[in-house]
Amino acid sequence: DVAATDVAIDVGSAMTASVVMLGAVVGATRLLERDAVLAAIDESLPPYRQQHRDLNGRALDAGIAAAPTGLPPAWPALEDAR
């Protein structure tokens, strides 16, 4: 379990709870690279929301840090290929 709202509040805004959860998925599954996810988040921000880039990055990192550990790989074949 990831207390996304609590983590988001600690990061600076409850509104980043979805980004925290995205980070938890990234951290738990290891299917996506953190930098690729952050780049996709940045690309999706409209110009009038660019001030939230750093906050989103912190929320993503906090979610990755809060991800459950010791889970089996989502796709073992991908783990073997790495």
Side-chain angles (χ1 to χ4, degrees):
D1 289 342
V2 175
T5 302
D6 293 338
V7 172
I9 290 169
D10 290 344
V11 166
S13 173
M15 293 180 68
T16 63
S18 60
V19 179
V20 170
M21 285 307 299
L22 177 59
V25 170
V26 169
T29 64
R30 300 180 310 271
L31 292 174
L32 301 168
E33 297 292 328
R34 177 240 183 234
D35 291 343
V37 173
L38 189 56
I41 292 170
D42 286 348
E43 288 176 25
S44 71
L45 286 176
Y48 60 90
R49 298 266 189 223
Q50 290 298 311
Q51 72 272 19
H52 300 295
R53 291 181 73 224
D54 291 339
L55 181 61
N56 284 332
R58 291 193 311 272
L60 183 69
D61 291 340
I64 291 170
T69 58
L71 299 175
W75 279 275
L78 286 177
E79 286 293 313
D80 293 342
R82 289 182 179 184

